[in-house]
């Protein structure tokens, strides 16, 4: 099944999506007896979450002309995402991966990728429909794509190059050391981030990739993006923004005469009963971009990012049904004291807001 969104597109997401196999119980991959099929992929996760939140989104990617590719496209389309620009490759397979139930940050977490030579690794300037890629108000990319192949890296360099008429680019660093065959990967990600307009990066991954400690140091290394979002885990997130304007970013120009001073905004994360951490970063990006598209303040963009992440943190898979817009808006409008008492557990996103505000 292929879905087509009629009318203007809010966000186009480009990247590899894969069929993921989630364990039915904890333990090592060697000991897990069975798995449940799902879908996973940083960019398609963002597209699905935004579509579920009421935005028009398009996912651009490549899958194999196989059963897994058919399932993947149908599953993403079921969220309301436009998949009309997805290409089927008759010679290369759809990527798949298996993972354990443990948090990615723990030493016991295992992931086995079967994506080498996948259809998505053949994305290039000649195989990707550029008109579809540039059709949204925002183009969302991630550093994972750059690691898939030389052609993918060339495509990413092209899409993040600053030029007149380019849509604003959102870039999630998503540093995955295991995907890079050369140690230069971290430097490549820094270069790509410098070309973007909105950048998402974890404080921990910035230290691992670039040896940078603390949000101010990350901003010093990335002065070019109009908006830099530094995710700080349970402590929250900090945004460095060139303007306090609530408007969506203007089209990117070919160059800049200077760099304006920052407005710095920090919002703590609510307390969350974590079921699984996989996909939370993608959900955070989706919540932040959703609020950006709606013209909300930077403060509210961060709160919506935290709320969308909390919805995913409290389910076992990569994707979760977000809270309704009215529900999320009520929570995002809480005063600081009430926000700090939020305690979100499984099922919270379907509950009334007074049911999740606990000391």
């Amino acid at each position: 099944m292929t879905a087509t969104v009629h009318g203007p597109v809010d966000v186009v997401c480009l990247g590899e999506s894969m069929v993921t196999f989630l364990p039915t119980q904890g333990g090592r991959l060697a000991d897990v007896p069975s798995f449940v099929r799902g879908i996973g992929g940083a960019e398609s996760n963002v597209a699905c979450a935004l579509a579920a939140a009421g935005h028009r989104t398009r996912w651009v990617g490549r899958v194999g002309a196989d059963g897994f590719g058919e399932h993947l496209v149908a599953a993403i389309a079921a969220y309301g995402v436009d998949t009309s620009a997805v290409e089927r490759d008759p010679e290369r397979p759809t990527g798949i991966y298996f993972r354990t139930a443990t948090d990615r940050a723990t030493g016991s977490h295992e992931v086995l990728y079967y994506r080498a030579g996948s259809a998505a690794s053949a994305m290039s300037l000649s195989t990707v429909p550029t008109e579809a890629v540039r059709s949204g108000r925002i183009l969302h990319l991630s550093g994972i794509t750059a690691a898939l192949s030389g052609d993918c890296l060339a495509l990413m360099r092209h899409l993040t190059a600053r030029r007149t008429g380019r849509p604003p680019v959102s870039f999630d660093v998503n540093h995955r050391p295991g995907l890079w065959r050369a140690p230069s990967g971290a430097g490549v990600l820094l270069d790509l981030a410098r070309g973007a307009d909105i950048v998402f990066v974890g404080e921990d991954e910035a230290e691992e990739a670039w040896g940078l400690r603390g949000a101010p140091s990350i901003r010093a290394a990335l002065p070019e993006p109009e908006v830099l979002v530094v995710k700080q885990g349970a402590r929250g997130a900090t945004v460095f923004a060139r303007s306090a304007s609530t408007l969506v970013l203007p089209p990117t120009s070919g160059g800049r005469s200077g760099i304006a001073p920052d407005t710095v905004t920090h919002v703590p994360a609510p307390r969350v009963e974590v079921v699984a951490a996989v996909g939370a970063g993608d959900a955070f990006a989706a919540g932040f971009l959703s609020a950006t598209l709606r013209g909300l303040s930077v403060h509210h963009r961060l709160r919506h990012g935290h709320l969308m992440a909390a919805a995913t943190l409290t389910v076992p898979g990569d994707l979760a049904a977000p809270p309704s817009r009215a529900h999320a808006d009520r929570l995002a409008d809480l005063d600081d004291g009430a926000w700090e008492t939020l305690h979100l557990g499984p099922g919270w996103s379907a509950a009334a807001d007074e049911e999740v505000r606990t000391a």
Side-chain angles (χ1 to χ4, degrees):
M1 180 184 76
T2 297
T4 302
V5 171
H6 299 286
V9 175
D10 291 322
V11 181
V12 174
C13 301
L14 177 146
E16 180 174 34
S17 190
M18 295 174 290
V19 172
T20 176
F21 290 91
L22 309 175
T24 55
Q25 66 182 51
R28 303 182 309 150
L29 285 177
D31 302 325
V32 174
S34 58
F35 297 81
V36 175
R37 183 180 65 177
I39 62 172
E43 300 84 3
S44 59
N45 284 348
V46 172
C48 291
L50 282 168
H55 296 281
R56 295 175 179 269
T57 64
R58 172 174 291 137
W59 173 57
V60 178
R62 303 183 87 248
V63 299
D66 52 34
F68 284 145
E70 182 180 348
H71 168 70
L72 197 56
V73 174
I76 293 171
Y79 280 86
V81 177
D82 185 307
T83 55
S84 60
V86 177
E87 296 190 345
R88 277 82 168 173
D89 190 324
E91 299 178 355
R92 299 176 179 87
T94 303
I96 65 173
Y97 75 97
F98 297 77
R99 68 172 173 85
T100 53
T102 52
D103 191 306
R104 177 182 286 145
T106 68
S108 60
H109 183 70
E110 298 174 74
V111 181
L112 285 180
Y113 289 105
Y114 298 91
R115 71 198 309 178
S118 70
S121 69
M123 286 189 292
S124 68
L125 287 168
S126 62
T127 62
V128 167
T130 54
E131 184 176 346
V133 171
R134 296 169 178 161
S135 61
R137 295 169 63 191
I138 294 175
L139 171 60
H140 181 72
L141 307 168
S142 103
I144 293 172
T145 304
L148 299 181
S149 69
D151 283 343
C152 284
L153 175 55
L155 174 64
M156 290 291 288
R157 290 194 188 281
H158 175 79
L159 295 176
T160 57
R162 296 189 182 275
R163 56 171 58 88
T164 302
R166 183 195 79 176
V169 171
S170 164
F171 181 75
D172 193 334
V173 171
N174 265 327
H175 180 231
R176 300 287 184 269
L179 289 179
W180 291 92
R181 294 187 177 90
S184 59
V188 169
L189 293 177
L190 190 62
D191 288 342
L192 293 174
R194 285 172 173 153
D197 301 286
I198 304 173
V199 171
F200 298 93
V201 62
E203 198 170 48
D204 55 347
E205 69 178 338
E207 182 172 357
E208 179 185 25
W210 307 319
L212 301 172
R213 294 187 177 183
S217 296
I218 299 170
R219 183 48 156 174
L222 281 169
E224 297 88 354
E226 294 289 338
V227 177
L228 172 65
V229 184
V230 180
K231 298 173 291 182
Q232 299 163 301
R235 291 186 290 119
T238 298
V239 167
F240 298 84
R242 295 296 177 211
S243 170
S245 169
T246 60
L247 299 176
V248 176
L249 294 167
T252 300
S253 61
R256 294 204 173 115
S257 57
I259 295 179
D262 276 322
T263 297
V264 182
T265 306
H266 175 81
V267 170
R271 287 181 294 162
V272 179
E273 295 176 29
V274 178
V275 173
V278 178
D282 305 328
F284 181 94
F288 188 92
L289 292 176
S290 173
T292 298
L293 289 161
R294 295 172 60 198
L296 303 185
S297 68
V298 172
H299 178 81
H300 280 79
R301 295 179 201 183
L302 282 168
R303 284 194 171 187
H304 278 277
H306 286 316
L307 291 170
M308 194 82 86
T312 297
L313 286 167
T314 49
V315 299
D318 287 26
L319 290 163
S324 69
R325 183 170 291 186
H327 186 187
D329 282 345
R330 285 195 298 272
L331 294 178
D333 283 339
L334 293 173
D335 61 47
D336 289 346
W339 175 262
E340 291 173 3
T341 67
L342 279 178
H343 187 180
L344 306 176
W348 77 267
S349 59
D353 64 340
E354 62 267 22
E355 293 179 295
V356 297
R357 273 188 280 160
T358 60

